[in-house]
Amino acid sequence: MFNFWDRLSQEERKHLLKQACQIDLTRLKDASREALGQAGSVNDSDADLEPAPWIPLPSGVDSTRLWEEAEGIGEELLNAGKIAAFTVAGGQGTRLGFNGPKGAFPITPVSQKSLFQLFAEKIKAAQMRFEKPIMWFLMTSEINDEATKKFFIDNDNFGLSSSRVRFLRQGMMPAICPTGEIILERPDRISMNPDGHGGFFRAVVDNGVAEEMRNAGIETISYFQVDNPLAPFLEPAFLGFHSMSGSEMSSRAAHKKGPDEKVGVFCKRNGNLSVIEYSDLPDNLARLRSEDGDLVFNAGNLAMHAIDLAFVERIGKNKGIYKLPYHSAKKKVPTVDAQGCQVTPKKPNGIKLETFVFDAIPLAKSPCIVEVCRADAFSPVKNAEGDDSIATCRSDQLRKYARWVKEAGGELTIDETGEPNISFEITPQFADNQDEFTRRWRDISNPCIEDGLILD
Ligand code: UTP
């Protein structure tokens, strides 16, 4: 790190030292050993993998009754102010390539509201339904913290009280080279990255947020990612199932689109409920089908979790068995040569070290998985084009609205994929779930949908 120390100015030295002080060397040593394969990582080809059990969507009288019971319990938790919304928004958003925090990306099909605004509106709509206000926590990172806060200030917190919107910064980890040394991006600058969405646990503990939540009476965090505008993060039934099953960490799942979809899958690994990444699931298992033709490993991880605060604190303290493993990703990391001149590598030269939130599941008591209607709940915007892109996300929003309208008895022309031939929008204030939409729709005299309409 200090190869070029002698030739740095006072200002540059100060900057380099500030960065160096952020690095926890013990943690980095453990992380590099794991990432460089010296610590005995899990080998999934040897692991005993089985599909995970999950609570399916209601389909008959008994299961409908169970879902209604869960919904009632979830509503009680929300009425009592025991649930906080939590968005992880500290990532780099490299694939989307948007100039700004990902949450500021305009996503709704007509009014082009940002992801942040949409989530704020969902929270405001929920606040009309439940007795206690809802706190919203957002995890940012050094790379987007300032811009994210500014976006909220410029937009007046989207009408939410500033005392109920809280930002916390996640930690950063240096990029390392395959021999384990820290990479310099410039003679006075270490190449640092956010430490993965698993950094959420530590960020909650280190920033004093756990204490703040406890003082506010919050018991469970509803965790979701910034890039999924459909996330139903305040749906009572899921929160109710979490509580009924005595789970410390529960997750939402939906049927995978197909064997090649790039989502992690819930499974039992050597008997423990876990998520296996798509790239680690052996191909024969990824393609294995049951007699009815369904994929056997079918429960896709949608990155929505209910996590008890006490469990977050246990993982965040990173002691004993309550530690998340580090994952490594090979990347092209801009660096300097021996003379300190900048080099843009043509092939991967560095390793990014990250922890993942779902690696906490096997450490949780009674983890539980609950199905959600995918078309209502999941359409991440990861890429500028192609799969999980701006275009697919926009179409998925329109399909969802069109389905709600048609099932409520409205008239609309749709194509064979369910996408309408016009653009319109249903705001969370109008309805944030299908039942609510149907009720509101039936209250309108002569309801009709036209191009550009915003149902507000
Ligand atoms: P992704 O893994 O999709 O990464 O994050 P990303 O940073 O958004 O995008 P790419 O991979 O650079 O293109 C999934 C979610 O986890 C959050 C992201 O902000 C997103 O909500 N995340 C990811 C963090 O909060 N911190 C991280 O260190 C990584």
Side-chain angles (χ1 to χ4, degrees):
M1 284 193 289
F2 300 106
N3 276 353
F4 304 100
W5 184 256
D6 290 345
R7 61 186 236 204
L8 298 183
S9 68
Q10 281 307 327
E11 213 35 52
E12 289 169 332
R13 286 180 178 180
K14 230 166 58 199
H15 182 267
L16 184 59
L17 278 182
K18 192 168 161 220
Q19 269 194 313
C21 286
Q22 285 180 29
I23 302 173
D24 174 338
L25 286 174
T26 315
R27 187 174 167 221
L28 177 62
K29 191 170 147 202
D30 289 350
S32 344
R33 284 182 64 229
E34 277 169 33
L36 300 173
Q38 294 158 357
S41 58
V42 181
N43 181 348
D44 284 313
S45 57
D46 295 343
D48 180 14
L49 297 175
E50 297 167 68
W54 56 345
I55 299 171
L57 287 168
S59 61
V61 181
D62 287 347
S63 62
T64 303
R65 207 171 291 136
L66 185 68
W67 275 76
E68 282 168 358
E69 189 192 339
E71 188 172 357
I73 292 174
E75 281 171 358
E76 277 172 30
L77 295 170
L78 285 155
N79 280 330
K82 292 185 177 172
I83 309 292
F86 197 111
T87 313
V88 283
Q92 290 165 306
T94 346
R95 287 169 288 170
L96 185 61
F98 175 58
N99 182 18
K102 218 187 210 186
F105 188 81
I107 198 66
T108 64
V110 179
S111 60
Q112 295 285 296
K113 281 175 195 161
S114 65
L115 285 149
F116 284 139
Q117 175 163 0
L118 194 58
F119 299 141
E121 290 187 2
K122 281 171 181 262
I123 290 172
K124 278 196 282 186
Q127 288 184 164
M128 304 293 285
R129 293 201 301 274
F130 304 113
E131 288 162 18
K132 287 267 177 74
I134 292 161
M135 293 279 295
W136 184 19
F137 295 84
L138 294 110
M139 182 171 87
T140 61
S141 66
E142 206 170 286
I143 55 174
N144 61 20
D145 183 66
E146 246 173 66
T148 304
K149 287 179 183 156
K150 182 169 183 316
F151 192 69
F152 273 74
I153 292 170
D154 290 349
N155 288 286
D156 251 344
N157 274 323
F158 307 103
L160 291 169
S161 153
S162 58
S163 62
R164 294 199 205 100
V165 182
R166 290 286 208 236
F167 300 92
L168 60 152
R169 271 196 208 197
Q170 70 178 110
M172 303 287 282
M173 281 294 267
I176 56 167
C177 57
T179 45
E181 288 91 11
I182 289 171
I183 297 182
L184 282 182
E185 183 181 315
R186 289 189 340 210
D188 65 332
R189 193 173 291 250
I190 300 163
S191 173
M192 304 275 277
N193 301 294
D195 60 0
H197 41 65
F200 146 81
F201 293 97
R202 187 182 278 263
V204 169
V205 172
D206 288 356
N207 288 281
V209 166
E211 212 179 315
E212 184 181 345
M213 287 181 172
R214 192 171 302 290
N215 293 339
I218 292 162
E219 292 178 1
T220 301
I221 291 169
S222 179
Y223 166 108
F224 63 103
Q225 299 190 336
V226 74
D227 49 22
N228 177 19
L230 304 191
F233 54 91
L234 293 170
E235 191 200 82
F238 173 56
L239 300 164
F241 277 122
H242 171 75
S243 166
M244 281 158 78
S245 53
S247 161
E248 288 184 315
M249 178 161 177
S250 305
S251 310
R252 304 228 75 169
H255 291 263
K256 273 183 76 171
K257 272 191 199 156
D260 298 315
E261 191 189 7
K262 292 181 175 165
V263 292
V265 176
F266 291 102
C267 66
K268 278 191 148 188
R269 185 193 269 134
N270 299 328
N272 292 320
L273 198 69
S274 325
V275 170
I276 179 159
E277 282 197 272
Y278 62 89
S279 48
D280 293 338
L281 183 64
D283 199 52
N284 60 327
L285 295 185
R287 295 181 189 283
L288 192 65
R289 291 191 184 264
S290 60
E291 272 173 15
D292 53 15
D294 283 345
L295 291 173
V296 170
F297 287 87
N298 203 6
N301 173 25
L302 308 186
M304 284 177 255
H305 308 279
I307 315 177
D308 280 356
L309 180 57
F311 180 65
V312 173
E313 289 181 284
R314 216 181 311 141
I315 302 284
K317 286 181 186 149
N318 198 41
K319 299 241 166 73
I321 60 157
Y322 294 106
K323 278 187 181 164
L324 300 184
Y326 275 89
H327 295 256
S328 60
K330 294 199 175 96
K331 299 271 167 190
K332 291 182 208 159
V333 182
T335 184
V336 287
D337 62 17
Q339 284 69 46
C341 300
Q342 279 179 282
V343 176
T344 308
K346 295 207 170 45
K347 48 182 200 210
N349 60 325
I351 295 167
K352 193 168 140 182
L353 301 163
E354 291 186 320
T355 58
F356 296 156
V357 78
F358 55 73
D359 278 328
I361 296 173
L363 302 172
K365 186 160 70 86
S366 312
C368 144
I369 303 171
V370 183
E371 189 181 357
V372 66
C373 167
R374 181 187 180 115
D376 272 353
F378 189 61
S379 184
V381 52
K382 299 278 183 198
N383 303 302
E385 285 168 4
D387 290 341
D388 294 337
S389 63
I390 303 158
T392 58
C393 185
R394 181 179 181 278
S395 298
D396 285 343
Q397 291 174 72
L398 288 172
R399 280 189 202 105
K400 170 173 133 174
Y401 301 148
R403 185 165 41 82
W404 287 6
V405 169
K406 283 190 87 74
E407 288 180 14
E411 304 245 329
L412 204 58
T413 308
I414 55 170
D415 69 12
E416 63 292 349
T417 72
E419 188 168 343
N421 61 348
I422 54 169
S423 275
F424 68 103
E425 212 170 290
I426 301 168
T427 66
Q429 292 95 306
F430 186 83
D432 201 22
N433 62 59
Q434 188 171 358
D435 288 346
E436 199 181 358
F437 176 79
T438 308
R439 275 196 301 277
R440 300 271 331 250
W441 178 261
R442 293 192 175 147
D443 283 346
I444 308 175
S445 54
N446 294 327
C448 75
I449 296 287
E450 57 194 44
D451 194 32
L453 180 79
I454 298 175
L455 274 172
D456 205 343

